[in-house]
Amino acid sequence: MAGRAKAGLDRVLNTAKTSENMSQDVLEEVKKVKQHQERDKMTAKETGASGRQVIAVVFVVVILFGLFIFIGSLQSKSQSLTIDDYHQRNIEGKESDINYMYNGYSFVKAMDLWHTEIADNKKNRLYELAVRYSPKEVLDIKVAGPGLDKDVMNMSTIYISHDPDSANMNYVALAAAEITLSVSGVIGMDVKAACMKNITGVCETIPIKTCADKDSFVLEIYDGEQTAVIFDGNCIKIQGRQEELMRAADRLLFEWLGIIRPQK
Amino acid sequence: MVSSIIGLMWGDSASDVKKYGKHKLKLTQNGWKININDKDIFFQFLPDSLTDITIDKNVLDKILATKMMYVTSSINDTFAEGIAISEYTLSEFYGKNRNGYLQVAFTDYSTPAIPTINCDNATTNVPVLYLSQGDEISVDMIGNCIIFQGTYGADFLRFSEKIMYESIGIDTTQVTDG
């Protein structure tokens, strides 16, 4: 009886031991599983973090690329605007520093020059006038004198005469070229280069003309201290120091073409 | 100079008219006049007196094909006066006969209204004509930049008039009997 009881006890102990071992195994297994889960969690966390970073970087790159394309398209759009486009903007009232309306004339700045169009109704055509200054930039220039004789505008030729003694011939050339282009193209007169006196080799080859030649229409260009335009009988005088001469030349053209109305 | 002396004697008969091919040049108070397409063009020099200036055909084609051209020179050039006369003679010709325009500039000076222009600014559509004093008369083209060098002031006007003659089909490469 005692032996059977001992055997039973041993079996119980063994079973308990086995159970303990099993539960330890289970515990270990659970521990392992937990560790795996922890590791997986960590990995998942890390993977999630780097994934978000990648998405963020891609997002920023896409935004930057889009921005780049947008700015590029805006720039190319503004660069591709032609002078005519800017004239159209003036008509639509979209004026800026480089395009504006003045007394009904549309002015657009392109390639360092101000462009406007002058209609010649008699010939039914448009002339393009290109000048260095716009009307607003020459309004301060003094315009003086009793005015031009009525018949001088019927003359076919205007002599643009310079003083060969002038120290600033380069500016005389700039002013003369500015007037010449417009007078010959828009106003339709023949323009002749002339000298006020015959003292240089160049003046030997061209006519000598001054305002004293009453039978001729003469434009005298002076290198003078005060910037001014003077209309006097058969004669126009423009004067100024260096590039002021060019401003005076453009003021003359605007008066002549009626873009700036005569001062009263 | 010879033509200007002739010019002083205008009003004479036989020497008043010179024939160059189908064209006739008539001496007037303003120089030698020719009428092309109802427009009068005036010259101070006869074609005969321009034969010493040689302009290659490709240079001439470049000048005549353009609607806009920069004409530039040094602000300190000795021949500023001659260059000036040349510039506005060419300006008139371009404005009146070619419906184009020239922009006069300097190689060594600029303001907001006067750009500095030199050969570097020359493009196919807007070539540069650079006028300068030189030891001999020469016309060269580097890329789209045409460089004319003159030896005295009137050379620059002669160069301009040579371009004008050639553009209306008057040969200036040989002396004719007129």
Side-chain angles (χ1 to χ4, degrees):
Chain A
M1 183 76 182
R4 261 192 357 213
K6 190 177 182 291
L9 188 64
D10 285 345
R11 206 167 45 240
V12 170
L13 282 173
N14 280 336
T15 306
K17 220 173 203 174
T18 309
S19 301
E20 192 185 331
N21 285 341
M22 278 178 72
S23 62
Q24 266 180 358
D25 285 349
V26 168
L27 279 172
E28 268 177 31
E29 200 59 36
V30 167
K31 218 176 182 180
K32 273 182 190 172
V33 168
K34 273 188 175 177
Q35 278 175 349
H36 266 291
Q37 280 176 344
E38 283 299 314
R39 216 178 299 142
D40 285 351
K41 266 186 185 175
M42 291 292 288
T43 313
K45 261 186 185 174
E46 282 167 14
T47 311
S50 63
R52 278 197 298 275
Q53 278 174 354
V54 168
I55 288 168
V57 167
V58 168
F59 183 73
V60 168
V61 167
V62 167
I63 291 289
L64 285 176
F65 185 72
L67 210 60
F68 179 75
I69 297 284
F70 178 68
I71 291 169
S73 73
L74 278 183
Q75 274 183 342
S76 70
K77 199 177 175 187
S78 74
Q79 278 168 3
S80 65
L81 285 180
T82 63
I83 292 174
D84 286 341
D85 292 334
Y86 280 110
H87 283 311
Q88 186 58 37
R89 289 172 80 97
N90 280 343
I91 292 166
E92 292 165 1
K94 297 173 185 168
E95 299 187 354
S96 73
D97 289 346
I98 59 164
N99 63 291
Y100 70 85
M101 296 292 290
Y102 189 89
N103 275 345
Y105 291 88
S106 171
F107 280 84
V108 172
K109 191 168 192 181
M111 292 186 75
D112 301 316
L113 295 173
W114 284 93
H115 300 258
T116 192
E117 290 176 333
I118 312 286
D120 183 342
N121 295 328
K122 284 180 191 167
K123 292 181 182 170
N124 196 27
R125 64 175 284 189
L126 272 180
Y127 287 98
E128 191 189 317
L129 179 70
V131 289
R132 290 173 198 265
Y133 295 94
S134 69
K136 288 179 183 173
E137 294 168 302
V138 299
L139 284 173
D140 60 312
I141 294 175
K142 182 185 167 192
V143 177
L148 286 178
D149 292 343
K150 280 181 187 171
D151 53 345
V152 294
M153 291 308 289
N154 296 325
M155 291 184 178
S156 61
T157 303
I158 181 167
Y159 295 90
I160 298 187
S161 196
H162 70 276
D163 179 359
D165 276 339
S166 168
N168 293 299
M169 268 310 299
N170 293 295
Y171 295 98
V172 171
L174 292 174
E178 191 103 328
I179 296 167
T180 299
L181 264 176
S182 307
V183 170
S184 59
V186 184
I187 298 170
M189 279 184 165
D190 293 325
V191 181
K192 289 303 301 169
C195 286
M196 291 182 205
K197 46 196 169 188
N198 188 0
I199 57 165
T200 61
V202 172
C203 291
E204 281 181 21
T205 65
I206 58 178
I208 307 300
K209 290 284 178 184
T210 68
C211 290
D213 294 297
K214 295 292 178 193
D215 57 341
S216 302
F217 187 12
V218 181
L219 168 61
E220 290 187 349
I221 300 182
Y222 283 99
D223 177 30
E225 197 60 55
Q226 190 186 14
T227 308
V229 178
I230 298 156
F231 294 97
D232 187 3
N234 66 316
C235 180
I236 299 171
K237 293 178 183 177
I238 62 167
Q239 60 183 51
R241 185 71 78 212
Q242 300 187 337
E243 54 251 58
E244 280 296 283
L245 254 183
M246 286 152 48
R247 282 212 312 135
D250 285 345
R251 175 68 199 241
L252 165 65
L253 287 174
F254 294 143
E255 290 268 339
W256 206 337
L257 296 168
I259 295 171
I260 294 180
R261 311 273 156 74
Q263 295 168 332
K264 288 178 182 171
Chain B
M1 197 179 303
V2 174
S3 62
S4 68
I5 293 166
I6 294 169
L8 291 173
M9 302 187 298
W10 73 281
D12 204 282
S13 53
S15 59
D16 280 1
V17 178
K18 297 274 183 185
K19 275 190 78 179
Y20 291 87
K22 60 177 182 176
H23 297 292
K24 275 184 187 173
L25 286 167
K26 192 179 176 193
L27 188 60
T28 70
Q29 195 177 8
N30 291 326
W32 294 96
K33 182 179 90 172
I34 186 169
N35 189 281
I36 302 284
N37 300 328
D38 287 334
K39 287 175 182 169
D40 291 335
I41 304 173
F42 293 90
F43 297 90
Q44 301 306 317
F45 297 92
L46 285 169
D48 299 2
S49 61
L50 305 174
T51 54
D52 59 322
I53 301 174
T54 306
I55 307 179
D56 285 346
K57 190 180 178 304
N58 60 330
V59 175
L60 201 60
D61 289 347
K62 170 67 71 180
I63 294 171
L64 297 180
T66 185
K67 278 279 185 188
M68 181 191 170
M69 183 163 65
Y70 285 113
V71 186
T72 193
S73 62
S74 168
I75 194 160
N76 298 313
D77 199 289
T78 313
F79 296 135
E81 186 187 17
I83 289 171
I85 302 294
S86 169
E87 285 170 340
Y88 63 95
T89 300
L90 268 183
S91 286
E92 190 208 6
F93 182 72
Y94 259 72
K96 192 166 146 187
N97 299 289
R98 305 195 67 78
N99 199 23
Y101 56 92
L102 301 184
Q103 190 175 354
V104 179
F106 296 123
T107 56
D108 44 8
Y109 182 81
S110 74
T111 70
I114 310 171
T116 298
I117 296 292
N118 53 45
C119 283
D120 295 340
N121 302 101
T123 63
T124 308
N125 291 330
V126 187
V128 170
L129 174 58
Y130 178 20
L131 304 175
S132 150
Q133 178 198 8
D135 295 331
E136 57 182 23
I137 294 173
S138 65
V139 185
D140 297 296
M141 184 158 74
I142 301 169
N144 292 298
C145 183
I146 299 125
I147 302 162
F148 174 76
Q149 294 193 314
T151 55
Y152 81 115
D155 280 347
F156 299 93
L157 179 58
R158 295 170 68 232
F159 172 68
S160 295
E161 292 201 346
K162 183 159 183 121
I163 291 169
M164 290 157 59
Y165 274 127
E166 293 288 345
S167 80
I168 58 175
I170 293 181
D171 183 16
T172 58
T173 58
Q174 52 194 338
V175 177
T176 62
D177 293 335

